[in-house]
Structure formats: C-alpha cells, structure tokens
Amino acid sequence: MTHRVLALTVATLSALVVLSAQAQGLRPAPARTVAPVAVAETTQRPADFIVAVVNSEPITNNEVHARALRMRAQMAQGANLPEMSEFKRDALQRLIDERAQLQQAVDTGIRVDDSSVDQAEQTVAQQNQISVADLRRQLVRDGLNVAQFRRELRDQILLTRLRERDVDARVRVSDLEIDQYISERQRDTDPAAQEVNLAQVLVQVPDGANADQVATLQAKAERVLSRARAGEAFALLVREVSDAPDRVNGGQLGLRPADRYPPLFVEATQGLAAGAISNVVRSGAGFHILKVVERRVAGMPATTITQSQARHILLLLTPKLGEKEALAMLSELRARIMAGKADFAALAREHSQDGSAPQGGDLGWTSVGQFVPEFEQVMNRLGVAEISQPFVSRFGAHVVQVIDRRDITLTQREQRELVRSMLKEKKMDEAYVNWAQDVRGKAYVELREPPQ
C-alpha cells in the first residue's frame, strides 16, 4: 500500500454518512459525492493570492494549485497530460461550483456534526487498512494538516447531503417511461445490439495428439454433454472437467456483443435460448460444450444473474485487536477448519462480530454489487466450498467461504425495477448538471487577476 493514502475514492466517500445503517456491515449504500479529498502536494507551493470570490468567500491560488495537482495525479500514468494551466482552469471552476453549493447547504440548514466526521475519518483509515492514529501521522508526514483534512471531510458530507436533498430525492421515473424504454430496445433488431454470455467446458486436445487420443477426448466431451443435458450443474462440471482458465467463475466468458465471440461459438449457439446447451464443438484448442447463460438487448438489464451464498467470520479492528493480530487469529481458525478439527459455522457463531454470527456467518443469497468491492472481489474468486485466506476490508478482518452458487432468472417486475434504476441514475446525472449550473448562476462570482 502506498503512503499516499489520502486520495479518497468515490466508493469510500459514498459510504461516509451511511455506514451505521448497513446490514451485515458489508453492503454499500447508494449515496453519492462530488469530489475527492486532498492529497499531499509534492512540489513547492506557488505564491498565494485571491483568484476568485464566491459571494463573500475567497478562493486562493494555493487552493487552485492543490486541486490541480490532485486532478493531474488522478489521470492514468503515461497518458498524454494536458498543460498544468488547463488543470488549473478546470480546478478553479470546480472550486467555484463547490463553494457555491457549500454556501447553499449551510444557508438552507444542512449541518454535519463531529460524530459524522469522526465516522468518515475512521472509514478512510479502515479502507487504507490503518488505524485513525496512523492515518493522522501519515497526514503529518505528507505535509497535510489534520484539521484541514477533517474540514474537507465535513465539506464532502455536506455536498452529498445537499445533492441527496435537492437533486436525487426529486427525480422520479414513471411506468410510462419504463414501457417506452423497453419497447424501443425490443424493436432494435440490429445484431450488434444483441449481447450474449456463454459458459464453456473445454476438453483440451494437446498439440500433436494422434487420432486415438483425439477420439478418446471427444468421447470424454460427449459424456460431459450428456451429464449437462441430464441436469447436472454446469458450473460444477466446469470445475471438474474444464481445462480452460475461466473455470474459476463457472466457465463464463462474459456478456458481450455476439461479434466479439469466435464465429464458431456464435454458429453453435445461434437460436439457442438462455439455459440451452450446444452440441460438442471442435476448435484448434479442443472440444467445447457451450451453455447460453444469458441473452439480452444492449442497454437492457440482465434477465439472468448469478448469485452466491457465502458465509464469513468477521473480526472488528480495535485498539486492542490490531490488523496483524486479527489476521493471525483468523489464520489459526482457518487452519483448524481446513484440518477438519472445527466447523466453519460453529467458529463463526463463536467468534464472528456481526449480525450473521447466529446463522453461522451465513450471509444468504446475494447478487453482484451487494457487498463492498474489497469483500466481493475475494468472494468472487473462490470456488464452491473454498475458503479464502484472511483479508481486510473497510469493516474489519474476514475469512469467507462460498457455500454455493446459482443462476436465477429475474421476474418481469424485477427487470422493470432494474430499468427504473438505470433511468433514474441517468436522470439524476442530468438533473445534477442543471442544478449545479442554477446554484452557480445565483451566486456572485468575481474573478481576479494575479498581482503584478
């Protein structure tokens, strides 16, 4: 982990105000934000002077310079970076917008108490896998002021609450809009607008295999096909038989336009409905059995989703139980389970420190996006029954085991609600742009020339 820990991600800021309400301590809430917190400057500060006034509040050259440095640092390494003057122009416009919005938040009665800032600070520390005390020491080492850092956290929470109240809460999507959106997508017959997700079992044929070896491997593939069509779980067959590297995720190749699959795969699955399985297909790599996991029109939500049932043991990090100690304790618990000396559920009931403990750590059936990314990434890499190595999320230290996976078809109502969410997200982004322009238009903004 780099020492420049303060470039706060959108995901972190999204969680600042809502962590205490999250079920299981793992599921993120859909709050939003506008700008990240400051990072340490690595170059000498320029001369300071006032470059703009928003109502009666000044913006200084040093503020613009610091924001411009941050924006430049966030761009991809090796990219063609614009001139610093461009970053400064953009930084000034963002600071003006934010200052106007912050003033509106305060003027209309939005307040952020110290406990919310404390919680935000703790969230930053947890995501960077350090304590709050270590975070503050790092701030000082990087030349940042702790009080200023906390002021920026407070500002971020204010901006988030203002947007939630004045923009997000006012956006509505009608049933008629959903009907129109679905109708337009369904009328689109362009093959490029069709997307498909295939899963495969690959029985690999080695280079130079003789006719007898090829025949043996083909017979093996045919037996796998028979088992799949008899109802055996395709993901389990993948893990048992497939020689392809995608076996970890059930052999799924991912939702993509049909023209991004090999023509051989497209021809073999053409006309097959979701859930159907192709005949054995021969390629240069070997013999493939293909399953159509999902078909959908581009721009429409999935009709079939993969869910995971997992359980975990969570240890909260405290001054008495640091990260190193928690990971060591979980390593010992995992070793006992792996050796057959203890049961995962029993240890979860005894040791886990969240609401799932009475259920043996069982988190139930969940879909993609229901857990915070650092937890979900570990879980998604696991096969069924596999237990992770101990790891740390923003909520503490975990070990997780995937109990089972399944593909489910969404009901029409569930699909419509996904469309509603998609349309609402788009409308909120559009509404935010208009709202931000309106807030700025009502503010008195004076731009000042640098001193001669």
Side-chain angles (χ1 to χ4, degrees):
M1 181 184 64
T2 174
H3 284 307
R4 293 173 65 94
V5 296
L6 304 178
L8 202 60
T9 64
V10 170
T12 305
L13 284 168
S14 299
L16 294 184
V17 228
V18 291
L19 294 178
S20 61
Q22 293 168 10
Q24 308 292 356
L26 291 171
R27 294 178 170 84
R32 299 150 69 91
T33 188
V34 249
V37 175
V39 295
E41 294 186 42
T42 56
T43 59
Q44 187 174 1
R45 282 178 178 267
D48 203 14
F49 49 87
I50 294 174
V51 296
V53 176
V54 181
N55 295 320
S56 59
E57 192 171 344
I59 295 174
T60 67
N61 186 52
N62 275 347
E63 289 179 275
V64 174
H65 183 71
R67 177 63 64 88
L69 285 176
R70 175 197 312 162
M71 291 164 59
R72 186 174 65 175
Q74 289 173 340
M75 292 195 69
Q77 291 185 357
N80 256 338
L81 293 178
E83 295 294 324
M84 191 62 179
S85 59
E86 288 190 42
F87 284 112
K88 286 188 173 182
R89 279 195 295 271
D90 290 344
L92 176 58
Q93 297 308 314
R94 294 189 190 188
L95 284 167
I96 290 172
D97 287 344
E98 288 177 21
R99 203 61 55 89
Q101 292 170 23
L102 286 168
Q103 291 169 1
Q104 177 159 314
V106 173
D107 291 346
T108 55
I110 297 178
R111 299 289 183 268
V112 176
D113 57 26
D114 288 342
S115 63
S116 295
V117 180
D118 293 341
Q119 191 174 36
E121 188 178 25
Q122 187 175 16
T123 298
V124 179
Q126 287 177 339
Q127 189 178 37
N128 288 282
Q129 301 182 12
I130 56 178
S131 67
V132 171
D134 286 338
L135 173 66
R136 291 182 173 183
R137 282 191 286 270
Q138 189 61 55
L139 284 167
V140 174
R141 284 195 293 269
D142 285 347
L144 292 170
N145 183 286
V146 174
Q148 175 61 27
F149 175 69
R150 286 177 60 84
R151 280 195 295 272
E152 292 205 10
L153 286 176
R154 189 184 301 275
D155 286 348
Q156 293 301 322
I157 300 170
L158 272 172
L159 291 170
T160 298
R161 291 180 179 177
L162 178 68
R163 176 170 177 166
E164 287 174 343
R165 187 194 69 185
D166 288 0
V167 182
D168 297 359
R170 299 181 181 182
V171 172
R172 297 287 185 271
V173 177
S174 69
D175 288 340
L176 178 60
E177 289 174 296
I178 296 172
D179 293 337
Q180 290 174 335
Y181 183 87
I182 294 174
S183 178
E184 288 170 4
R185 295 302 179 278
Q186 289 175 340
R187 285 199 303 267
D188 191 346
T189 58
D190 182 359
Q194 307 295 314
E195 295 180 328
V196 62
N197 183 11
L198 301 179
Q200 69 162 336
V201 174
L202 169 63
V203 178
Q204 194 169 30
V205 176
D207 292 339
N210 59 39
D212 288 342
Q213 290 173 313
V214 171
T216 299
L217 293 170
Q218 183 174 5
K220 178 181 178 182
E222 294 287 355
R223 288 194 297 273
V224 173
L225 175 60
S226 296
R227 292 171 62 186
R229 287 181 170 170
E232 289 194 43
F234 198 83
L236 295 180
L237 290 173
V238 170
R239 290 189 61 81
E240 177 187 336
V241 179
S242 186
D243 298 315
D246 48 46
R247 57 184 297 172
V248 175
N249 64 340
Q252 293 193 30
L253 302 173
L255 189 68
R256 65 183 80 167
D259 59 8
R260 288 184 55 200
Y261 277 108
L264 189 68
F265 286 15
V266 176
E267 292 169 11
T269 57
Q270 197 167 22
L272 294 182
I277 299 171
S278 74
N279 294 322
V280 174
V281 179
R282 175 69 195 271
S283 77
F287 296 100
H288 306 259
I289 300 97
L290 302 169
K291 178 182 179 180
V292 180
V293 178
E294 179 185 0
R295 286 191 187 278
R296 79 179 190 206
V297 178
M300 288 289 290
T303 57
T304 303
I305 60 171
T306 299
Q307 291 188 321
S308 299
Q309 183 186 15
R311 57 188 177 187
H312 77 146
I313 300 172
L314 168 67
L315 299 181
L316 301 177
L317 303 182
T318 66
K320 292 184 178 180
L321 184 67
E323 177 184 322
K324 183 178 179 180
E325 293 77 17
L327 292 175
M329 181 176 175
L330 289 173
S331 292
E332 190 273 331
L333 295 178
R334 181 180 185 275
R336 289 170 58 191
I337 298 168
M338 299 297 291
K341 296 179 180 178
D343 175 68
F344 193 112
L347 292 181
R349 280 190 286 270
E350 182 179 353
H351 297 283
S352 193
Q353 296 174 305
D354 79 334
S356 70
Q359 292 78 47
D362 193 343
L363 299 168
W365 287 102
T366 58
S367 306
V368 173
Q370 288 188 247
F371 295 140
V372 293
E374 60 268 32
F375 183 91
E376 196 162 90
Q377 287 164 9
V378 174
M379 182 185 73
N380 288 345
R381 289 195 295 265
L382 298 175
V384 174
E386 191 175 355
I387 301 174
S388 73
Q389 294 292 335
F391 65 98
V392 174
S393 81
R394 70 190 69 172
F395 299 109
H398 314 253
V399 289
V400 58
Q401 180 184 39
V402 172
I403 302 170
D404 199 2
R405 284 201 169 94
R406 68 183 182 187
D407 293 334
I408 66 164
T409 300
L410 299 178
T411 65
Q412 186 179 35
R413 179 177 178 181
E414 289 169 333
Q415 292 176 49
R416 287 178 63 84
E417 287 307 307
L418 287 176
V419 171
R420 189 188 303 275
S421 297
M422 290 167 50
L423 295 178
K424 186 173 183 179
E425 186 76 18
K426 182 180 178 182
K427 290 179 75 171
M428 285 193 300
D429 289 341
E430 294 169 350
Y432 172 75
V433 171
N434 295 330
W435 170 82
Q437 291 173 346
D438 182 59
V439 172
R440 177 165 174 162
K442 293 177 181 176
Y444 168 76
V445 178
E446 176 190 343
L447 300 179
R448 295 189 178 181
E449 294 293 330
Q452 301 299 319

